[in-house]
Amino acid sequence: MSDDFMLDTDDLERRMEGAISSLRTEFASLRTGRASASMLEPVMVDAYGAMTPINQVGTVNVPEPRMVTVNVWDKGLVGKVEKAIRESGLGINPQLNGTIIMLPIPELNEERRRDLTKVAGTYAENARVAVRNVRRDGMDQIKKAKADGLSEDDQKFWETAVQELTDTFIKRVDDQLETKQEEIMQV
């Protein structure tokens, strides 16, 4: 192999891993009909004059499969937390019980489940595009090195390495999508 060209496959792998991580975050925000503390992560509460994440004003728990509870630490904030949840667009109706706000998670209907699988598919396609963009960057580096005198054998070696890395990450995206779609369609 050429002594002067060394493709940074660790960098490519790290960037592809970032696409997978982003996909996981997007999947966590999809409501599947099962209670999850992560579904409240985007909710911000107007507490003490600043917009604060809900997990910094109370404890978020999942005591049963269809229930999320928020135990608000400051009694004065209970109304604001309830209002933030109501206005968050999650489609959940909070119920007060002292300083505990209970959030019963309604069952998803078949049409909504199908819509959510389409959204999950869109998220997965965005992740695939991100992985392919990293692949393209790697291939561009190889082409530039070829112009600078990289041998054809070395070029083929690096192109194969980048393609195998890409295939691995695309498969991971597809596997995660399949798992999420099964989770969404599960009644």
Side-chain angles (χ1 to χ4, degrees):
M1 265 185 254
S2 178
D3 295 337
D4 55 347
F5 181 73
M6 198 64 189
L7 184 66
D8 189 357
T9 54
D10 290 343
D11 178 57
L12 296 178
E13 189 170 350
R14 181 185 51 75
R15 290 169 52 200
M16 288 180 184
E17 195 62 60
I20 298 283
S21 174
S22 175
L23 178 66
R24 275 194 208 108
T25 304
E26 288 175 328
F27 277 175
S29 71
L30 285 178
R31 209 179 84 191
T32 60
R34 254 191 257 135
S36 161
S38 65
M39 63 194 296
L40 292 178
E41 283 178 4
V43 178
M44 301 295 270
V45 180
D46 184 12
Y48 313 114
M51 294 309 281
T52 312
I54 199 164
N55 62 359
Q56 292 182 14
V57 296
T59 308
V60 180
N61 289 314
V62 183
E64 51 189 80
R66 296 219 176 275
M67 178 74 68
V68 176
T69 61
V70 181
N71 189 354
V72 184
W73 300 319
D74 183 349
K75 286 183 183 179
L77 291 176
V78 172
K80 289 184 177 184
V81 172
E82 180 188 18
K83 181 180 176 198
I85 293 168
R86 230 180 262 287
E87 294 175 351
S88 68
L90 289 173
I92 300 173
N93 194 17
Q95 300 169 355
L96 282 177
N97 184 359
T99 59
I100 297 177
I101 299 172
M102 297 183 297
L103 307 167
I105 310 300
E107 189 72 46
L108 293 174
N109 63 22
E110 186 71 20
E111 183 181 342
R112 182 70 180 131
R113 288 178 192 277
R114 291 194 193 288
D115 290 345
L116 285 174
T117 59
K118 288 177 187 169
V119 171
T122 303
Y123 289 164
E125 185 54 36
N126 291 341
R128 284 189 209 102
V129 168
V131 168
R132 289 185 196 118
N133 286 340
V134 174
R135 174 192 176 275
R136 188 191 62 226
D137 291 347
M139 292 300 192
D140 288 348
Q141 289 175 36
I142 294 167
K143 282 180 189 156
K144 186 173 179 288
K146 171 81 168 133
D148 293 341
L150 184 68
S151 73
E152 208 166 297
D153 287 346
D154 289 349
Q155 178 188 4
K156 292 281 185 228
F157 171 82
W158 288 113
E159 285 177 351
T160 303
V162 170
Q163 188 58 50
E164 286 173 358
L165 189 64
T166 303
D167 293 345
T168 301
F169 277 89
I170 295 290
K171 172 132 178 50
R172 285 178 58 189
V173 168
D174 292 343
D175 291 347
Q176 287 188 15
L177 173 62
E178 190 177 322
T179 302
K180 189 64 176 183
Q181 286 179 333
E182 286 174 9
E183 186 179 310
I184 290 170
M185 294 309 287
Q186 188 177 12
V187 180

